[in-house]
Each structure stands twice: as C-alpha cells, then as structure tokens.
Amino acid sequence: GAVVSQHPSWVICKSGTSVKIECRSLDFQATTMFWYRQFPKQSLMLMATSNEGSKATYEQGVEKDKFLINHASLTLSTLTVTSAHPEDSSFYICSARSVTGAFFGQGTRLTVV
Amino acid sequence: QKEVEQNSGPLSVPEGAIASLNCTYSDRGSQSFFWYRQYSGKSPELIMSIYSNGDKEDGRFTAQLNKASQYVSLLIRDSQPSDSATYLCAVTGQGGSEKLVFGKGTKLTVNP
C-alpha cells in the first residue's frame, strides 16, 4: 500500500500555544488529504478536507480559524492547532487517497496541559 | 445524513474460528467500500477495499458487498489473536466524493 507519514507522533504543549502537525504522502501525489480527530473509544471524525493550492473545506462545527490547514504541495499538508486548550487534546490523524485506497498517517497524539 | 452502522461488539471468537463483521450504510449512491483495522492507540490500517457486488478474497479476509441491501461484510477465516482489534467500515459518497464516512467500529477479540 501507499505510505503516508505524519509528524510528530506525539506532542505535549502548554495551553495557549500553537502546534503544527505535518502529513506527507511519501510515494504518491495527493491533491486531497483529510484530517480526522479521534477521542478515546470513539470513531474517527472528519475535521476538514485539505485541497492542494486552495482553501480547505471544513466540516460543520470545526473552527477554521482554530485549525489552520495548508496544503502547500502535492505531498504535504499541515494542520496547525492555534491557541490550544486542554479540550483540544486528542488523536489527530491525516489521510490521503491513492489509486488503491485511502491510507492513514501514524497519527499525532496531542496533549495540552 | 450519511450514516454507516456497525455493531459495536465486542465480538469474541476462539482462535481458528471465522469472525464475521457487518456494516450497513444509508447513502445508496455510495461507490467505494473499505475495511480498516485499528489497534488501540494506533491509526487505521487498510485491509480490504471492494467496489462491486459480490465477494473479494485476500488471504484470510473476504469482503462481501450487496449494494441492493446496502450491506458490506468482512469475514476473517482462521482467526488469530493478532486479529484482535477494532474493525472500521468506511464508505465514500456518491458522485466520486473522496470523503470517507466511518462507522463506529466493531471490537473483535480472538481468544487463544
């Protein structure tokens, strides 16, 4: 299968600071990538669709000014959690579609203290 | 509202048995169907994709799709303890949408 790399795999930050998460497709190009959030014992919730060269599309209820998405190239999308608060602590996962299916990055466990 | 429904389980089977996981979806226009395996604390891993009615086999895994019934299933033969995980059913929308809608997952435990 295709490889999607996400970095960092875990991060602890202080409340009020910002955190950037990178998602790269290593062996294919992805015009579209997806960002999910998963709380413990719950399913994946789509936050936004990242489009190369244009603005991201956010799902209902997701604050676009808080979760900044930049899809700078066909292999890189970034999610920045701005002014993070403890309730933003979660498992963030990116995904990209190749011809064989949708593949996920390793996920980033964010803890805001 | 597009929905994907799965029995949350837990589903418990003995080692060597067949595990059967089921999923129904509400969007009749859905075109692509996927099964993912997610170990605790890890991200989902694609194990099967299916696009047309019928069965698709890959090793110990068989995916079955029935679009008329809006039903997709996953059979795991000769279940192993390492198969213990949460299995997520995912469906794309109609019109070539790349968005995946996930079910809440079924937790499978294979007992040695």
Side-chain angles (χ1 to χ4, degrees), chain B residues 97-108:
Chain B
S97 171
E98 294 188 57
K99 276 191 196 178
L100 284 178
V101 179
F102 283 87
K104 293 186 176 181
T106 298
K107 185 172 183 178
L108 171 67

Side-chain angles (χ1 to χ4, degrees), chain A residues 12-79:
Chain A
I12 300 174
C13 71
K14 290 185 177 180
S15 187
T17 62
S18 296
V19 173
K20 180 186 281 190
I21 303 169
E22 291 188 350
C23 179
R24 295 180 185 273
S25 55
L26 296 187
D27 51 1
F28 66 101
Q29 293 182 331
T31 55
T32 305
M33 293 185 179
F34 302 91
W35 287 96
Y36 296 85
R37 180 167 53 183
Q38 187 176 36
F39 292 106
K41 299 189 187 298
Q42 295 188 22
S43 189
L44 295 162
M45 294 301 298
L46 179 64
M47 298 175 65
T49 302
S50 173
N51 305 299
E52 189 268 336
S54 64
K55 291 182 179 180
T57 305
Y58 291 82
E59 295 300 301
Q60 190 173 7
V62 178
E63 300 175 58
K64 61 180 181 180
D65 294 330
K66 181 170 184 62
F67 299 100
L68 300 179
I69 291 173
N70 184 12
H71 198 141
S73 74
L74 288 172
T75 59
L76 173 64
S77 175
T78 60
L79 169 67

Side-chain angles (χ1 to χ4, degrees), chain A residues 68-112:
Chain A
L68 300 179
I69 291 173
N70 184 12
H71 198 141
S73 74
L74 288 172
T75 59
L76 173 64
S77 175
T78 60
L79 169 67
T80 301
V81 183
T82 63
S83 186
H85 291 285
E87 57 266 31
D88 298 323
S89 298
S90 188
F91 191 44
Y92 292 85
I93 316 172
C94 71
S95 169
R97 284 288 297 271
S98 75
V99 293
T100 53
F103 296 89
F104 287 84
Q106 302 94 317
T108 298
R109 185 149 321 269
L110 170 64
T111 302
V112 184

Side-chain angles (χ1 to χ4, degrees), chain B residues 2-41:
Chain B
K2 301 182 179 65
E3 292 185 355
V4 177
E5 300 287 341
Q6 291 181 256
N7 187 330
S8 62
L11 174 65
S12 184
V13 300
E15 184 174 356
I18 295 175
S20 178
L21 304 161
N22 304 314
C23 172
T24 58
Y25 58 95
S26 62
D27 186 353
R28 189 169 286 279
S30 297
Q31 298 181 349
S32 303
F33 307 86
F34 304 91
W35 282 99
Y36 288 86
R37 176 174 62 198
Q38 186 175 25
Y39 293 112
S40 181

